[in-house]
Amino acid sequence: MRRRLLLAWLLAGCAGPLWAGQLVVRVSDSGGHAVGDAVVTVTPSSPSAQPAPAPVTRYVDQRDETFIPYVQVVRPGDRVVFRNSDGTRHHVYSFSEAKAFEFLLRPGESSPPTTLDRPGLVAVGCNIHDHMIAYLMITSEQAKVTPSQGQVVFDQLPPGSYTVAVWHPQLRPGQAQPSEVAAVGEGTDAQHADFTLSLIPDPRGFTDREHLDY
């Protein structure tokens, strides 16, 4: 019996620290609708040294003259590859301080892997189709992008206080990046943080008809 109890305790420990907590973050707009494509960042007030994960390669596709995904979180050291799955040319570029690049991609082509080595926001556009926009958020903090349901969950958080910040590409100009402090305790009870954003219309809704035949 003692061996069985010991085995059960060890298996529970493998699933994660027993003292870890959970934080649920919900993002909506001023009309009460769930907001997708918001970057939620969670920063502990007392950070501890953690081993950096191995770099990975992220992909941004171009389909139907749209960058997919619209918003993506990457870590410093990750690589990004742009793929053109359209039947038209795309001229992918960024003048962002965190990373600048430029690729002319014919149908079916992919860019060489580009290392994103500095934290910051990278705005990506197409020099042929002005309505094509994407964003890469480079951060070493815990961060997730909200799906269309507008909610993300952070599991296995050590007890303590955390600054929760939300960014969205359609935040109204002049609006400060919303943030609040959340206290995560021990046990299984999840803590909640709710944000309401004032957003401008999605600029990707405009189609550049002049360049459809490129």
Side-chain angles (χ1 to χ4, degrees):
M1 177 64 69
R2 289 182 178 177
R3 290 183 177 178
R4 291 181 180 177
L5 290 175
L6 178 60
L7 178 61
W9 182 83
L10 289 173
L11 290 175
C14 292
L18 296 178
W19 38 260
Q22 185 183 76
L23 175 64
V24 180
V25 182
R26 289 188 286 256
V27 183
S28 59
D29 63 16
S30 53
H33 304 99
V35 171
D37 296 314
V39 176
V40 180
T41 305
V42 174
T43 306
S45 58
S46 300
S48 58
Q50 298 290 337
V56 299
T57 300
R58 311 285 183 175
Y59 292 89
V60 178
D61 204 354
Q62 294 153 86
R63 297 199 303 268
D64 298 325
E65 296 186 5
T66 302
F67 286 117
I68 302 173
Y70 178 31
V71 178
Q72 187 169 184
V73 169
V74 301
R75 298 186 67 84
D78 286 353
R79 299 169 295 272
V80 62
V81 173
F82 294 91
R83 297 187 295 209
N84 184 359
S85 298
D86 273 337
T88 62
R89 290 187 303 160
H90 290 305
H91 188 175
V92 181
Y93 73 94
S94 175
F95 297 140
S96 302
E97 184 176 347
K99 194 68 176 183
F101 49 77
E102 187 174 11
F103 305 111
L104 181 59
L105 301 177
R106 295 178 177 82
E109 289 185 340
S110 295
S111 71
T114 299
T115 301
L116 305 172
D117 43 14
R118 297 176 57 187
L121 179 64
V122 176
V124 183
C126 175
N127 205 29
I128 298 175
H129 308 96
D130 292 340
H131 59 280
M132 293 180 63
I133 309 170
Y135 296 90
L136 301 170
M137 179 68 77
I138 310 170
T139 178
S140 56
E141 305 292 346
Q142 293 194 65
K144 295 185 178 183
V145 179
T146 57
S148 59
Q149 295 82 2
Q151 176 175 297
V152 290
V153 179
F154 294 86
D155 291 308
Q156 305 300 326
L157 293 177
S161 62
Y162 293 82
T163 298
V164 186
V166 178
W167 175 87
H168 194 280
Q170 293 156 225
L171 275 175
R172 193 167 297 279
Q175 179 183 356
Q177 182 175 348
S179 66
E180 66 177 66
V181 176
V184 176
E186 298 181 9
T188 58
D189 291 340
Q191 302 298 314
H192 293 80
D194 297 327
F195 291 85
T196 300
L197 307 183
S198 178
L199 303 177
I200 62 174
D202 191 338
R204 297 173 299 164
F206 172 73
T207 301
D208 184 5
R209 298 293 180 182
E210 182 182 353
H211 296 103
L212 283 181
D213 295 330
Y214 270 71

